[in-house]
């Protein structure tokens, strides 16, 4: 029997990419899942796949984590359904592209509300449940947090730097509650995240092709399952003495400074 069997795992941003794959990863271990995202149709598709893969039960909560009411609804509905929580995966995230000369406050707020504010507020809301279960939080940060400084990416990279620091500060504060807080910092993973910034499919593919070479190990981008394996590890009993870590899953890209 897996240690995640019948454990309650809340995954934000579960409607696509790394979050969807994480939900599927926990499903294979028989977890009870609370999945959230804004896209109802895609969330339902992921939930169906999770049930087929072995999830014991799946709750879908449609919500926008940049909104306080929605975050409170996500935690309340999870608690109402399952009564407990063991793992919170703060994966929902978005990118914003801008040069400083074109900087707009709205872009900053959109990105920071999801990548930073929601991570902290959801952790606070989950605290009573995680304290009771001696559970853990895994935040999905990025190697963009402190490894490279790309023009256009100033808002996103700064938000992920904040996510790393938040992870460490929360780990220190919540150690007394028996709650572990860690992050994974993936290199480039081929998801829809850049398409959502508004670039064309052609540009998107070109960027992914260029970025592949920036990962010295095997000169390829990171597979989504490789990130999921790291999340499962940090959430597992194999990591009982690990807290405040930001685990790079980047094929050595962080060593290159690009
Ligand atoms: N792809 C990469 O190369 C890469 C590398 C390092 C780190 N990351 C991080 O990995 C995480 C997942 O990204 P991804 O690559 O898997 O991208 P993705 O496919 O675009 O997934 C992002 C997820 O976040 C959700 N989300 C975004 N804004 C939201 C909001 N306001 N409220 C609720 N949910 C919201 C999306 O839900 P809806 O679509 O339903 O709104 C979606 O499920 C992010 O934190 C990202 O920064 C990605």
């Amino acid at each position: 029997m897996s240690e995640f069997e019948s454990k309650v795992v809340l995954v934000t941003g579960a409607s696509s990419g790394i979050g969807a794959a994480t939900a599927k990863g926990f499903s294979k271990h028989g977890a009870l899942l609370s999945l959230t995202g804004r896209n109802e149709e895609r969330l339902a598709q992921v939930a169906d796949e999770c049930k087929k893969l072995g999830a014991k039960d799946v709750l879908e909560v449609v919500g926008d984590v940049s909104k306080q009411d929605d975050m409170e609804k996500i935690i309340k509905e999870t608690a109402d359904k399952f009564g407990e929580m063991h793992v919170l995966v703060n994966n929902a995230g978005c990118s914003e592209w801008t040069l400083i000369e074109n900087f707009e406050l709205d872009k900053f707020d959109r990105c920071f509300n999801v990548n930073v504010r929601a991570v902290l507020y959801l952790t606070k809301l989950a605290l009573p449940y995680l304290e009771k279960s001696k559970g853990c939080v895994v935040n999905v940060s990025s190697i963009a947090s402190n490894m490279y400084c790309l023009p256009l990416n100033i808002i996103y990279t700064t938000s992920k730097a904040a996510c790393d620091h938040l992870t460490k500060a929360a780990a220190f504060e919540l150690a007394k509650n028996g709650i572990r807080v860690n992050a994974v910092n993936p290199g480039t993973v081929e998801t829809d995240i850049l398409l959502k910034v508004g670039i064309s499919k052609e540009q998107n593919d070109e960027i992914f092709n260029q970025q592949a070479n920036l990962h010295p190990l095997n000169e390829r981008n990171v597979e989504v399952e490789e990130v999921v394996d790291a999340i499962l590890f940090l959430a597992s009993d194999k990591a009982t003495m690990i807290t405040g870590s930001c685990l790079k899953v980047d094929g050595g890209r962080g060593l290159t400074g690009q």
Side-chain angles (χ1 to χ4, degrees):
M1 187 176 120
S2 163
E3 66 179 279
F4 295 121
E5 180 141 357
S6 300
K7 292 284 161 58
V8 180
V9 180
L10 169 57
V11 183
T12 70
S15 52
S16 67
I18 295 169
T22 301
K24 291 179 206 168
F26 279 106
S27 298
K28 292 176 191 161
H29 293 272
L32 295 161
L33 291 174
S34 173
L35 305 182
T36 185
R38 289 171 304 183
N39 187 316
E40 191 169 359
E41 199 180 320
R42 284 214 314 259
L43 197 61
Q45 280 167 12
V46 174
D48 277 351
E49 289 174 58
C50 287
K51 284 175 203 154
K52 286 181 194 142
L53 286 167
K56 280 266 152 35
D57 202 351
V58 184
L59 170 70
E60 295 152 55
V61 191
V62 176
D64 181 338
V65 296
S66 67
K67 296 184 178 154
Q68 182 176 355
D69 288 353
D70 284 13
M71 287 189 277
E72 288 167 359
K73 179 182 81 168
I74 290 162
I75 298 296
K76 182 176 182 315
E77 290 192 12
T78 305
D80 287 350
K81 169 126 181 128
F82 297 119
E84 55 183 353
M85 192 191 305
H86 300 87
V87 181
L88 167 63
V89 182
N90 279 311
N91 162 77
C94 58
S95 187
E96 287 290 348
W97 281 19
T98 187
L99 292 173
I100 294 171
E101 64 195 39
N102 300 323
F103 176 73
E104 289 163 14
L105 292 172
D106 281 355
K107 285 188 173 184
F108 181 90
D109 291 347
R110 256 198 313 273
C111 192
F112 266 69
N113 281 346
V114 178
N115 294 5
V116 186
R117 192 178 80 137
V119 174
L120 186 50
Y121 196 57
L122 287 167
T123 301
K124 172 225 158 97
L125 295 174
L127 188 54
Y129 306 100
L130 296 177
E131 180 160 21
K132 204 163 171 205
S133 65
K134 300 298 168 219
C136 67
V137 179
V138 182
N139 297 325
V140 179
S141 183
S142 168
I143 52 149
S145 63
N146 62 5
M147 306 301 169
Y148 62 86
C149 298
L150 285 179
L152 285 174
N153 256 330
I154 189 163
I155 299 176
Y156 180 72
T157 53
T158 306
S159 77
K160 291 301 184 182
C163 182
D164 280 7
H165 193 82
L166 189 164
T167 300
K168 292 173 198 171
F172 187 37
E173 181 177 334
L174 299 183
K176 66 176 186 318
N177 308 68
I179 300 169
R180 299 184 299 107
V181 185
N182 291 292
V184 290
N185 296 58
T188 300
V189 187
E190 296 184 16
T191 66
D192 290 348
I193 194 166
L194 296 181
L195 291 173
K196 292 175 186 173
V197 182
I199 64 170
S200 68
K201 176 85 175 77
E202 202 176 41
Q203 279 176 299
N204 181 72
D205 294 349
E206 197 182 317
I207 291 170
F208 282 147
N209 284 338
Q210 284 167 354
Q211 300 222 331
N213 298 323
L214 300 177
H215 302 80
L217 194 63
N218 302 322
E219 295 189 345
R220 64 164 172 83
N221 290 322
V222 179
E223 298 290 343
V224 77
E225 290 77 15
E226 292 167 331
V227 181
V228 175
D229 283 343
I231 293 171
L232 286 167
F233 165 69
L234 288 172
S236 79
D237 288 345
K238 291 195 172 70
T240 44
M241 204 54 183
I242 300 178
T243 197
S245 287
C246 297
L247 179 60
K248 286 184 282 172
V249 186
D250 69 341
R253 180 166 169 189
L255 306 170
T256 71
Q258 313 178 67

